[in-house]
């Protein structure tokens, strides 16, 4: 239990970056606070200083289409802002779908995109979605700005590629073109829970064949993961139900899983095989995925 | 203005204050100069305390004092408390018995300083062997949790308890009716199954909280979120050896109780802290601490049931073991009073029950909505379906055939009356459309099924309620009694009862929260007893006020009392003359002044059961019957299961407030979805690993069945039933988990035997069943 901390409320990004550049890992940025407050409550994190970003929202919460047809998401857009944004609904339905079952409306009203990345907890819904969308995360520090690909972002339990002095400013999603995608969230107990498994799957087709495939899993291990073998098996192919089933089964068999209080490794593996198959069947229009071979 | 007060769905009188955030909860209560306390708790399940070093804690700025059992002893007259056994110290004395047991208490200027310092208290332990499983703990070679405990003898219904030495079995309750063993020998079919249930936490939104303060006459006040202020008053008077009139226990609306906020919790500690500091001291637990304060009992139940060729249950032998944790709390009453219904809501000639309350090195277990019935029904209602299936009898027909009815003897020997078993079962049949096949059996990997269950509970008997009703000079009425409104709407229901007798509007009657400085004795807000017991006391008290009012009016109007009625907020004579209550009071006292005070008390009749056989002609003031039917969808491939529909049915007698009764039934049923499907306390060597709501999943709105129906069987009762009503707070809790298990079995032909029935366990059961089928 911390005996206290100070809160700084910078008025500009530069000011915030200066505050974060003290070389002290107990100085942390806070936005919605839905993740950090839990860590503080359990005594896992005892801040000396919290840098509140509340005054920076006006400049960091934009949601807009970029000239190349991609989407730029301000790091301080709340998850509810994203869920409600017509741009997201139109261009990133995968993200919108995932947000619809992420925690509760009250939490989505507070939680913000940057925090949902920086928190680095493995059991979150947004990371596999960002992986499937090839998201690029723009960060800045007084040392300069850089871009981190979503797939290089998540390094382990509460660990990300964002350095202590860096702040996430925005997320860029490249143009997705015509595509079909789905997010499946599986919880182990109550419906409203962190995922036991999150599957983000996306395919673009060209002339009857899959021209681009992205499949990412969340919540299984200490970080979200792309499934390159699944993606390459799909790429350039026109699979039928049996092939999809085999792809999903092989992918599940190859995973390195461990028993958890909420689910055994065997059940997690089984659930990956079932839901990965169903997710792929759904986006490949091979049935609604809830029964073998479609119905 | 509607004439009827009782029987009308009056909106809860406190609703507006609750939704606008103006209701008082003790959690928000502050006093000038108040200090804050936090506990240093045991991190081992069983150990001798060899040393406590408080120096680092004392060095934290803002810390005033760190107290241990030694300091407690300077102000207390006795060391141990507890409703059944004297096994609970204010702070651990010499030994700790579970992970989370309070050992030291830091008192500081702020909660933050107290919490920081509590983590710096260094406690040295010499660890002892520990036992966690109730069956193991009851065995001969188990480590003994308490070397010796004395029986408390506080309650009339627990008078038979003896001191316990060299065993973990705190109470072994026995019931013998007929000759179960001989009948089992002779039965055409004998079924034996063992069922286990795991503990649950109440997870009240308002955690435990108490504020102690010392008055100028050495009197002690404790403001606390508690369900039984009168019992706490008695307990504290004994602890400090001072008279009850110097102990004031006050409470307000509770943010949930469900049985958690009964008996010794924080109140003694808050009082001790206030005495030592001579300043008000607040102690408030976190949600996480709630998890080591009290749970529902885990249990292991073996049922051996003999059935004849026609599907009639002839005999049942029940072996029930309750895991009461390290303090018995009210566990012995669970073992006894719910234990005697272990054979279920059935008419069985030969019954034998052994119900053991067993100490372990787990957190204490006590009352939890349903008081043992949900665990028992998990056994007897799962077994009912297993028997019916085996014999090829429809599960509901099997229940109908064997159900206990009015006029028939219960296993205790008491002749049943006032239970609506047939109507409840008939309603279940109708609501579930049971006589036609389930229309939608699912398709693809989805299989659908339906299941039912029902249960029977006896109200804790005997117990006492005393109430007063006071009329003021302006004609307004206030009610003082000992019931805590923890969400069950007693404040509304009591106002309806008093208003009915006095011819007033419900909304005009004020019902006070318990404050033992002026509210009267009540055994506790528990076990669905309040409406019946305090209802009777209130009717009597209101009738006394009524009689005095009419006598005064008779004098003033020169009209015979028989010619007068109380109606519409006044006295009305047969000739149409009307006087307001204020006018009658003015006539009596000569100005707007004075009071008329009515008093009522109620203790039901009771025939103490034979200690060896449990037989009694009159074991309970009333009985409750509750049923549940569900339809589920199971994805056979993933195990993913949804309760699509839940019907909860209970007998209420004549409902005082029908909407509130319906909400009680559905609320209780939804709460039990947690036991059935989502809530699990995992622990490693007595250390809970699913502490807090992040890891212990209470059902949320998305887990509530899409179709939820709450059916009130409202046959008015006679006898002592107040306005024909009986208690309803637990009825909806009786049989949810077994109904779900039975529906899953119906859907996929697989039996889940472990609670909670998670998707993974359902998946595993489906796999096991299909492996059995291919092996067979």
């Amino acid at each position: 239990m911390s005996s206290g901390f100070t809160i700084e409320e910078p008025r500009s990004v530069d000011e915030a970056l200066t505050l974060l550049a003290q070389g002290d890992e107990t100085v942390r940025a806070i936005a919605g606070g839905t993740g950090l407050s839990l860590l503080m409550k359990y005594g896992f994190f005892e801040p000396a200083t919290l840098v509140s970003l509340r005054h920076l929202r006006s400049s960091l919460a934009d949601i807009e289409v970029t000239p190349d047809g991609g989407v730029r998401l301000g790091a301080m857009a709340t998850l509810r802002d994203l869920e409600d944004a017509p741009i997201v609904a139109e261009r990133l339905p995968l993200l919108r779908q995932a947000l619809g079952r992420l925690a509760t409306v009250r939490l989505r009203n507070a939680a913000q995109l940057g925090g949902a990345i920086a928190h680095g907890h493995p059991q979150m819904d947004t990371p596999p979605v960002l992986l499937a969308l090839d998201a690029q995360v723009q960060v800045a520090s007084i040392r300069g700005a850089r871009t981190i690909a979503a797939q290089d972002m998540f390094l382990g339990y509460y660990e990300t590629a964002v350095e202590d002095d860096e702040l996430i400013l925005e997320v860029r999603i490249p143009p997705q073109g015509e595509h079909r995608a789905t997010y499946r969230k599986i919880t182990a107990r109550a419906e409203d829970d962190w995922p036991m498994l999150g599957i983000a799957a996306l395919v673009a087709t060209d002339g009857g064949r899959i021209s681009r495939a992205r499949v990412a899993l969340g919540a299984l291990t200490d970080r979200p993961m792309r499934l390159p073998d699944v993606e390459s098996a799909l790429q350039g192919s026109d699979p039928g139900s049996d092939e999809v089933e085999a792809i999903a089964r092989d992918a599940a068999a190859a995973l390195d899983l461990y028993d958890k209080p909420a689910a055994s490794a065997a059940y997690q593996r089984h659930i990956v095989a079932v839901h990965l198959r169903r997710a792929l069947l759904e986006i490949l229009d091979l049935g609604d995925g809830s029964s073998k071979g479609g119905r | 203005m509607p004439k009827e007060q009782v029987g009308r769905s009056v909106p809860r009188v406190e609703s507006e204050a609750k939704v606008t955030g103006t209701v008082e909860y003790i959690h928000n209560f502050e006093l000038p100069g108040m200090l804050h306390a936090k506990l240093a708790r045991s991190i081992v399940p069983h150990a001798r305390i060899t040393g406590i070093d408080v120096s680092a804690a004392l060095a934290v700025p803002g810390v005033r004092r760190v107290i241990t059992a030694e300091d407690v002893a300077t102000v207390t007259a006795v060391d141990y408390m507890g409703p059944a056994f004297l096994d609970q110290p204010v702070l651990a004395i010499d030994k700790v018995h579970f992970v989370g047991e309070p050992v030291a208490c830091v008192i500081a200027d702020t909660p933050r300083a107290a919490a920081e310092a509590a983590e710096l208290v260094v406690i040295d332990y010499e660890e002892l062997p520990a036992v966690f499983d109730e069956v193991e703990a009851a065995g001969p070679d188990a480590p003994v949790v308490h070397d010796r405990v004395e029986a408390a003898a506080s309650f009339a219904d627990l008078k038979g308890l003896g001191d316990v030495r060299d065993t973990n079995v705190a109470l072994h309750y026995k019931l013998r009716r007929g000759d179960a063993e001989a009948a089992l020998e002779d039965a055409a079919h004998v079924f034996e199954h063992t069922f286990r249930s795991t503990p649950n936490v109440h997870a009240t939104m308002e955690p435990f909280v108490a504020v102690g303060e010392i008055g100028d006459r050495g009197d002690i006040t404790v403001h606390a979120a508690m369900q039984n202020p009168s019992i706490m008053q008695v307990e504290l008077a004994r602890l400090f050896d001072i008279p009850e009139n110097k102990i004031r226990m006050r409470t307000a609306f509770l943010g949930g109780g469900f049985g958690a906020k009964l008996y010794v919790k924080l109140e003694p500690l808050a009082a001790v802290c206030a005495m030592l500091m001579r300043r008000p001291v607040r102690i408030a637990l976190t949600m996480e601490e709630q998890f080591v304060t009290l749970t529902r009992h885990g249990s292991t139940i073996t049922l051996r049931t003999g059935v004849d060729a026609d599907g009639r249950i002839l005999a049942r032998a029940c072996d029930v073991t309750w895991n009461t944790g390290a303090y018995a709390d009210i566990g012995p009453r669970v073992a006894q009073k719910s234990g005697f219904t272990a054979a279920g809501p059935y008419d069985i000639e030969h019954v034998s029950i052994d119900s053991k309350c067993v100490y372990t090195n787990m957190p204490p277990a006590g009352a939890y909505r349903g008081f043992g019935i949900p665990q028992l029904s998990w056994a007897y209602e799962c077994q009912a379906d297993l028997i019916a299936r085996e014999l090829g009898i429809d599960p509901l027909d099997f229940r109908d055939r064997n159900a206990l009815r009015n006029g028939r003897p219960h296993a205790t020997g008491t002749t049943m009356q006032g239970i609506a078993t047939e109507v409840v079962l008939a309603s279940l049949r109708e609501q579930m459309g049971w006589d036609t096949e389930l229309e939608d059996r699912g398709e693809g990997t989805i299989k659908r099924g339906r299941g039912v269950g029902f249960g029977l509970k006896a109200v804790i008997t005997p117990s006492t309620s005393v109430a007063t009703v006071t009329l003021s000079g302006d004609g307004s009425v206030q009610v003082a009694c000992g019931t805590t409104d923890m969400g069950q709407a007693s404040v509304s229901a009591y106002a309806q009862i008093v208003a009915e007798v006095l011819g007033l509007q419900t909304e005009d009657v004020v019902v006070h929260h318990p404050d033992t400085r002026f509210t009267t004795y009540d055994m506790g807000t528990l076990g669905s007893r309040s409406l019946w017991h305090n209802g009777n006391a209130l009717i009597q008290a209101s009738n006394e006020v009524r009689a005095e009012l009419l006598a005064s009016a008779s004098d003033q109007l020169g009209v015979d009392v028989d010619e007068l009625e109380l109606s519409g907020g006044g006295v009305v004579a047969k000739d149409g003359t009307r006087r307001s209550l204020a006018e009658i009071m003015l006539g009596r006292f000569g100005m707007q002044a004075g009071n008329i005070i009515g008093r009522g008390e109620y203790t039901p009749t009771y025939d103490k059961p034979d200690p060896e056989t449990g037989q009694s002609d009159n074991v309970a003031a009333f009985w409750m019957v509750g049923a549940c039917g569900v339809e589920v969808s199971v994805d056979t491939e993933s195990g993913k299961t949804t309760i699509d529909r839940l019907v909860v049915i209970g007998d209420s007698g004549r409902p005082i407030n029908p909407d509130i009764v319906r909400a009680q039934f559905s609320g209780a049923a939804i709460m039990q979805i947690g036991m059935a499907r989502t809530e699990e306390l995992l622990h490693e060597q007595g250390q809970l690993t699913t502490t807090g709501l992040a890891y212990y999943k209470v059902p949320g709105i998305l887990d509530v069945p899409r179709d939820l129906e709450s059916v009130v069987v409202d046959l008015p009762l006679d006898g002592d039933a107040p306005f024909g009503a009986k208690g309803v707070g637990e009825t909806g809790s009786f049989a949810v988990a077994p109904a779900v298990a039975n529906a899953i079995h119906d859907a996929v032909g697989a039996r889940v035997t472990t609670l909670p029935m998670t998707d993974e366990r359902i998946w595993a059961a489906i796999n096991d069943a299909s492996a059995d089928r291919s092996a067979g």
Side-chain angles (χ1 to χ4, degrees), chain A residues 5-289:
Chain A
F5 53 86
T6 54
I7 293 184
E8 299 285 352
E9 298 190 340
R11 295 278 165 172
S12 69
V13 171
D14 284 347
E15 202 185 321
L17 295 180
T18 305
L19 286 163
L20 290 172
Q22 299 172 44
D24 179 351
E25 64 180 18
T26 64
V27 178
R28 283 281 285 271
I30 185 164
T34 57
L36 206 56
S37 60
L38 271 183
L39 296 183
M40 289 165 61
K41 176 178 166 184
Y42 287 116
F44 298 154
F45 176 63
E46 296 183 5
T49 302
L50 289 179
V51 179
S52 166
L53 306 179
R54 56 193 288 248
H55 296 306
L56 311 184
R57 276 211 74 209
S58 55
S59 59
L60 291 179
D62 291 346
I63 300 165
E64 60 187 26
V65 177
T66 53
D68 64 356
V71 180
R72 198 175 72 87
L73 307 171
M76 296 193 70
T78 68
L79 301 184
R80 187 68 168 169
D81 289 340
L82 296 170
E83 185 185 358
D84 287 345
I87 291 172
V88 173
E90 189 186 322
R91 292 174 184 251
L92 307 172
L94 174 65
L95 178 60
R96 183 189 161 96
Q97 185 193 357
L99 292 172
R101 262 200 75 196
L102 191 158
T104 61
V105 173
R106 275 170 302 168
L107 284 164
R108 297 201 292 275
N109 275 330
Q112 299 170 17
L113 181 61
I117 297 167
H119 190 48
H121 191 281
Q123 274 184 287
M124 295 175 72
D125 295 290
T126 39
V129 170
L130 297 176
L131 259 61
L133 293 172
D134 294 325
Q136 300 282 321
V137 181
Q138 312 285 321
V139 303
S141 70
I142 58 166
R143 296 175 289 119
R146 65 179 179 128
T147 299
I148 305 170
Q151 62 173 334
D152 301 325
M153 174 59 76
F154 303 100
L155 304 179
Y157 213 71
Y158 292 121
E159 267 188 73
T160 66
V162 181
E163 299 288 341
D164 286 342
D165 64 345
E166 287 180 319
L167 197 58
I168 298 174
L169 298 184
E170 64 182 46
V171 175
R172 286 176 185 258
I173 312 286
Q176 299 295 313
E178 284 290 314
H179 69 279
R180 292 184 58 135
T182 192
Y183 180 73
R184 286 187 168 244
K185 174 176 185 166
I186 290 89
T187 57
R189 296 182 188 280
E191 282 289 307
D192 170 24
D193 194 359
W194 290 308
M196 173 192 109
L197 167 67
I199 301 178
L202 179 153
V203 291
T205 48
D206 186 10
R209 295 198 170 272
I210 297 171
S211 56
R212 185 163 62 98
R214 292 286 182 272
V215 177
L217 305 183
L220 288 173
T221 64
D222 67 345
R223 69 194 81 180
M225 60 179 105
R226 288 259 298 266
L227 296 181
D229 291 349
V230 172
E231 292 174 4
S232 56
L234 293 170
Q235 196 102 21
S237 77
D238 178 17
S241 311
D242 291 346
E243 288 161 88
V244 166
E245 177 161 5
I247 289 169
R249 199 177 48 231
D250 293 349
L255 293 170
D256 189 11
L257 300 172
Y258 42 89
D259 289 338
K260 295 176 191 161
S264 69
Y267 186 61
Q268 293 173 67
R269 193 178 307 288
H270 175 75
I271 283 298
V272 170
V274 170
H275 286 284
L276 180 54
R277 188 196 77 228
R278 290 180 182 181
L280 294 175
L281 289 175
E282 179 193 336
I283 58 176
L284 294 169
D285 219 2
L286 292 168
D288 78 349

Side-chain angles (χ1 to χ4, degrees), chain B residues 500-503 545-546 549-550 564-572 581:
Chain B
E500 178 77 27
V501 177
L502 296 179
V545 172
R546 180 178 182 275
L549 259 175
L550 293 186
L564 297 170
E565 254 318 314
L566 285 178
S567 171
V571 178
V572 183
L581 300 191

